Amino acid sequence: MKHLRNIWGFIKRTFKMEEGGIVPTPTPTPDPTDLGVYLTDTEVKAILKTQLGTKLAKDVKIYLPDTTYYCPSISYTKKVLAESSGDKRRWIAEVYDCDDHALVLKADFAIDAYRNGTRRAPHAFGIVWGYLPGAHAINFVINDDGVVRFCEPQTDAVFLPRKNDKNIWLMLA
């Protein structure tokens, strides 16, 4: 029983849970000192289409469920990546492979935006599926400089789209 109390204490500290088992909702008021870059979903889609151009499949699906997105700096992106949890797990075919790594990293960025409490929007961050360079799922981010970058969730590498990245068929923020 003592062991279970220790584990529960660890979970509460890790996820900053209060009594009752829920994470408190941050105050939705934007921080007036937040000088970050915000884009509409229309602007995000235009940037993705323009910068990825011929790398996109003709029938690409781009899903942007929110109306506004926050573009973090490259250094902040790397900070969240360093603190992310997905790359701490080992790759297991069909169980915890590339799409699962990308999904967990997307969730880590969503949790960061939620905990921050000063952001008016989620990060301009999502999952991309395509030939990257083989059939693969990774993540994309639009940083505050307006540049689309890819993130390899298994290694935390951040890089510009490569020459041999192609046939991107699905993007989801």
Side-chain angles (χ1 to χ4, degrees):
M1 190 54 115
K2 179 182 175 190
H3 183 65
L4 290 175
R5 271 196 315 269
N6 288 341
I7 291 171
W8 180 242
F10 171 77
I11 290 170
K12 284 171 53 176
R13 285 189 308 279
T14 300
F15 294 103
K16 297 185 172 89
M17 295 174 72
E18 293 184 349
E19 294 306 316
I22 60 170
V23 178
T25 303
T27 306
T29 308
D31 180 349
T33 63
D34 181 7
L35 303 176
V37 175
Y38 290 86
L39 298 173
T40 67
D41 55 340
T42 304
E43 292 169 320
V44 168
K45 189 177 270 191
I47 288 170
L48 292 171
K49 286 184 171 185
T50 300
Q51 291 187 28
L52 296 176
T54 59
K55 296 181 181 312
L56 300 174
K58 287 183 173 57
D59 58 348
V60 64
K61 303 290 188 236
I62 300 175
Y63 295 102
L64 304 170
D66 297 299
T67 57
T68 307
Y69 292 88
Y70 176 75
C71 300
S73 67
I74 296 170
S75 63
Y76 193 82
T77 299
K78 290 180 178 180
K79 174 189 175 294
V80 176
L81 285 166
E83 296 171 355
S84 67
S85 60
D87 59 328
K88 312 296 187 275
R89 294 172 178 86
R90 67 182 174 92
W91 183 92
I92 302 171
E94 300 299 323
V95 175
Y96 193 78
D97 52 12
C98 64
D99 58 311
D100 302 297
H101 276 90
L103 182 64
V104 169
L105 186 55
K106 167 60 179 155
D108 285 338
F109 271 81
I111 289 168
D112 177 77
Y114 179 85
R115 282 195 189 146
N116 180 283
T118 62
R119 302 274 185 261
R120 320 190 281 270
H123 295 286
F125 189 91
I127 305 172
V128 56
W129 285 266
Y131 288 95
L132 307 164
H136 197 36
I138 58 175
N139 298 93
F140 73 89
V141 63
I142 300 176
N143 292 116
D144 60 354
D145 59 0
V147 175
V148 175
R149 291 179 175 82
F150 287 162
C151 303
E152 172 53 70
Q154 297 177 58
T155 64
D156 291 346
V158 179
F159 53 92
L160 294 172
R162 301 159 294 199
K163 187 186 303 186
N164 56 351
D165 293 333
K166 61 184 178 185
N167 199 30
I168 295 169
W169 65 82
L170 178 62
M171 299 186 83
L172 169 68

